[in-house]
Amino acid sequence: MDVVSPELNSLLPDEIMDTEDIEDVPHSQPGTTGVHSEPSLATSTKLTTPFTISPANRQIILNKVASQASEAAKSAGNPPQVIKQDGQKLLVTAIGKSGQPIVLQLPHTGSKPGVSQTAGDTKSQAPQFKVVTIGGRSDLKPVVGNQVTTLQTQQLKTVQIAKKTPASSAAPIKFIITKTVNSKGISPQTSVPPVITGRVLTQSSPVMPPRTITLSEPHNTNLQSIPGKKIAISPLKTPSKNIKPVAVGGVGGSQFKTIIPLATQPNVQQIQVPGSRFHYVRLVTATTASSTGQPSGPSTSSIQTAKPMVVSTAAVRMSVPVVPAQTMKQVAPKPLTSGPQVVTTTQTQQRLIMPATPLPQIQPNFTNLPPGTVLTPAPGGGNVGYAVVPAQYVTQIQQPPFVTLASSSSFSASTGIQTQARLPLNGLSAAETTSRPRKPCNCTKSQCLKLYCDCFANGEFCNNCNCNNCFNNLEHETERLKAIKTCLDRNPEAFKPKIGKGKEGESDRRHSKGCNCKRSGCLKNYCECYEAKIMCSSICKCIGCKNFEESPERKTLMHLADAAEVRVQQQTAAKTKLSSQISDLLMRTTPVISSGSGRLPYTFVTKEVLEATCECLLEQAKKAEQTHQPQVEAERMILEEFGHCLMRIISSAGKAKSDCASINC
DNA sequence: GAGTTTGAAACT
DNA sequence: CAGTTTCAAACTC
């Protein structure tokens, strides 16, 4: 099934993927070359035994090593797959659950193809692997060195970030599992920071070849450390018992039951390819401990999904879809070239794209998914379905920065999922989104599944909105996916930013469609151009437009807006200053008193003092009244008296402070 | 806060 | 593609 059209594919950057020779093979077909294995094998699979390395391709076929898995796979008529791609380092194994090979990936060695990477520890001769398996419910234990203590994967997903070169003439690739860093896009200085459970870490060393991603056991609450590397443990790394089924959605019933792996590991991997402007995100299916009650096999291993892998980047990061091979043939990541470049160049938004297998007919054009959309697997089904998730949601899942595990254990799905305001969004930086969180929508009839809904239109879940009958959430992923598909059918660019760059050579942004205002003069927020703070352009079909450069009305409005802004800033500054002064005052009067007698300075404001102060103020009021002072003057007198009272209180406090200090001496 | 206005989105 | 309806945000009172 083609998901991405050839023309879209042509837009792909070279380093992203090879969309050729990609086939998805129904793993249910016996005798095919699809990789099959029994779940039970996963627990005992180890990589410590010898394995085959293809120097040319830097591939390791783990299932040749994992004898049990391999044998089982062979017995099942599903020999392991080796994906050969020039310059790629792929490891493919078949030790996962049925049809879910585990892919290990040797780090790219640049000029030394075939040379295994050490574990950063020069004493170690064992190559380290990147476990790039996107396994549904993949239960992976750490891969340390060349050893995988436990591997269990239910489902292989495809992470295709292959170079855009034809695959080898070898047997048809049945699973495009992963792509390592493209040599084309990697400089020797490329660093590949390891990422554990959704955490993207920056590699401090500029010269650090791709290394190992250590998959940590979910129950391991300690930091996994790799020599010379930073590893963060996801706060989501909580015992599987905390997994909460967040949603049971879908018109089809429980088939699309969704478990958000908040309480376990994020099922998203971030892949950043150096030299690429794209920000890859790999998806993995939910962990085994889902509420679906589906057996995860006799495995007693811990639960773990694949880990995010960051190849590194210092460039603009964009998102690309990542799609399981079983479901999708191609995925065409596409830069948001039409987006508001000025804004989006610094964005870190991500896109994860995952198919809703039971609804292949509604698979959207993944290149046009809502900004920041993430397709995340619909747990409970392994290869059943996926949810289209706003990227920031996923980001939030995987990157709650360094939350302690203790807190994560009580991590609530309901609270965790819906927090999105502080995440990079639609090209806005995190700071911007923090300062300007999206306004909650108030949809009542659209179920927040139409573009009327700003949340939906921006590829976000509704969060703290006032909407009724909202379907824009994980609980209704099926409907949401349908809605997205519908929108994309209607307008393939429906989710693309409306404000893009103007014609070539023009620096100004412009509305992609232009507005159609009739009565607002394009000087109210009804007008999308005005709302975006841009001028109307020739493509606008507005009537009576006043939103052009020389428009006096517009200038007046701009001046008013500027003045208002200045006023707000001044007020803010004044408040800040006043607050600072008050704090400073308190700080100056507090310490000795509190440390000496244990009394705080404000305890000087006793009831008696208050009464006395009020009497003074009332006296001033009476005085003003008796002298027939105007109200303004009366207020001034009262305020002055209040000031005097305060000064006396402060003075008393200071005196007490000095007395106390002298006593202490 | 309720009601009105507005224009994009959706629909026909 | 044009006309109409629906919708939710913007706006006004």
Side-chain angles (χ1 to χ4, degrees), chain A residues 410-536:
Chain A
S410 59
F411 193 68
S412 167
S414 60
T415 56
I417 294 171
Q418 299 296 333
T419 302
Q420 65 181 32
R422 291 185 176 85
L423 296 165
L425 178 65
N426 294 335
L428 296 177
S429 67
E432 288 172 308
T433 53
T434 299
S435 61
R436 289 192 300 161
R438 174 165 296 285
K439 290 168 55 177
C441 73
N442 301 298
C443 306
T444 58
K445 298 181 179 180
S446 68
Q447 297 178 318
C448 298
L449 289 183
K450 294 193 175 181
L451 295 176
Y452 296 129
C453 175
D454 276 357
C455 301
F456 179 78
N458 285 279
E460 302 173 22
F461 281 151
C462 285
N463 171 37
N464 295 326
C465 293
N466 305 313
C467 41
N468 295 329
N469 195 23
C470 180
F471 276 42
N472 186 25
N473 48 49
L474 263 182
E475 298 178 15
H476 300 89
E477 60 193 65
T478 308
E479 291 85 346
R480 190 170 186 268
L481 191 59
K482 284 182 179 177
I484 291 173
K485 174 66 165 54
T486 301
C487 289
L488 290 175
D489 285 346
R490 189 179 297 121
N491 176 16
E493 300 186 355
F495 294 105
K496 289 184 177 179
K498 289 180 178 177
I499 309 302
K501 274 201 168 182
K503 296 175 183 177
E504 194 166 343
E506 295 179 359
S507 58
D508 292 339
R509 295 180 300 147
R510 59 183 286 176
H511 197 285
S512 59
K513 289 173 56 183
C515 68
N516 195 31
C517 305
K518 293 177 177 64
R519 305 174 69 90
S520 67
C522 299
L523 289 181
K524 294 192 175 183
N525 282 335
Y526 298 128
C527 175
E528 292 194 349
C529 297
Y530 180 82
E531 188 178 27
K533 294 181 173 57
I534 58 177
M535 308 289 177
C536 288

Side-chain angles (χ1 to χ4, degrees), chain A residues 36-324:
Chain A
H36 294 255
S37 65
E38 294 302 322
S40 61
L41 299 173
T43 57
S44 60
T45 300
K46 301 209 173 187
L47 304 181
T48 53
T49 52
F51 45 82
T52 300
I53 299 177
S54 173
N57 298 312
R58 291 181 293 280
Q59 296 175 339
I60 295 179
I61 304 171
L62 291 180
N63 56 337
K64 289 182 179 179
V65 181
S67 58
Q68 294 178 353
S70 177
E71 291 171 4
K74 289 178 180 178
S75 63
N78 299 300
Q81 293 299 306
V82 178
I83 298 172
K84 295 180 180 180
Q85 289 183 333
D86 293 340
Q88 307 305 313
K89 294 166 288 188
L90 300 176
L91 301 178
V92 183
T93 186
I95 55 180
K97 209 172 178 178
S98 60
Q100 296 137 27
I102 291 174
V103 180
L104 299 184
Q105 175 179 348
L106 285 176
H108 200 287
T109 57
S111 60
K112 296 180 179 180
V115 176
S116 299
Q117 294 289 322
T118 60
D121 180 358
T122 56
K123 292 182 291 185
S124 173
Q125 296 301 320
Q128 288 195 341
F129 309 128
K130 287 179 181 174
V131 178
V132 293
T133 300
I134 307 171
R137 299 172 169 232
S138 56
D139 298 340
L140 300 178
K141 283 196 172 182
V143 178
V144 179
N146 64 342
Q147 179 174 1
V148 176
T149 58
T150 300
L151 291 173
Q152 177 180 355
T153 181
Q154 180 189 37
Q155 178 184 4
L156 171 67
K157 302 301 179 187
T158 296
V159 176
Q160 181 182 350
I161 315 169
K163 190 177 179 179
K164 213 171 184 178
T165 55
S168 67
S169 59
I173 295 174
K174 301 303 179 184
F175 293 93
I176 300 302
I177 299 174
T178 185
K179 170 193 176 293
T180 59
V181 179
N182 180 7
S183 59
K184 176 181 178 181
I186 298 177
S187 64
Q189 288 74 28
T190 298
S191 63
V192 183
V195 175
I196 301 298
T197 59
R199 196 60 42 78
V200 178
L201 299 175
T202 301
Q203 187 70 43
S204 58
S205 172
V207 182
M208 181 64 69
R211 290 292 181 138
T212 298
I213 290 180
T214 297
L215 300 184
S216 61
E217 183 175 346
H219 294 282
N220 182 359
T221 58
N222 296 323
L223 283 176
Q224 306 286 318
S225 65
I226 297 175
K229 304 214 179 282
K230 299 176 182 178
I231 300 176
I233 298 298
S234 169
L236 303 176
K237 190 172 291 185
T238 54
S240 58
K241 64 181 180 181
N242 290 333
I243 295 177
K244 296 181 179 180
V246 173
V248 179
V251 293
S254 61
Q255 187 179 18
F256 269 74
K257 185 176 292 183
T258 298
I259 292 88
I260 299 175
L262 288 176
T264 58
Q265 287 72 32
N267 53 355
V268 175
Q269 297 177 329
Q270 291 184 349
I271 309 167
Q272 296 179 12
V273 178
S276 171
R277 296 185 305 122
F278 294 85
H279 188 190
Y280 303 97
V281 182
R282 173 178 297 118
L283 296 180
V284 297
T285 56
T287 56
T288 58
S290 69
S291 64
T292 58
Q294 292 187 355
S296 58
S299 169
T300 58
S301 65
S302 60
I303 300 164
Q304 174 58 331
T305 60
K307 299 296 183 296
M309 177 177 68
V310 173
V311 182
S312 91
T313 182
V316 177
R317 291 185 291 177
M318 305 290 279
S319 303
V320 296
V322 179
V323 184

Side-chain angles (χ1 to χ4, degrees), chain A residues 330-399:
Chain A
Q330 299 177 351
V331 175
K334 183 179 180 180
L336 300 178
T337 54
S338 63
Q341 301 298 324
V342 172
V343 177
T344 59
T345 49
T346 58
Q347 69 181 13
T348 57
Q349 72 176 12
Q350 306 164 352
R351 283 187 184 181
L352 291 181
I353 296 181
M354 301 179 72
T357 304
L359 295 168
Q361 73 281 6
I362 63 169
Q363 286 183 354
N365 180 342
F366 291 106
T367 62
N368 292 318
L369 280 172
T373 290
V374 167
L375 282 177
T376 190
N383 61 345
V384 173
Y386 300 91
V388 179
V389 182
Q392 65 274 15
Y393 165 69
V394 174
T395 304
Q396 193 247 335
I397 289 176
Q398 66 185 31
Q399 295 183 343

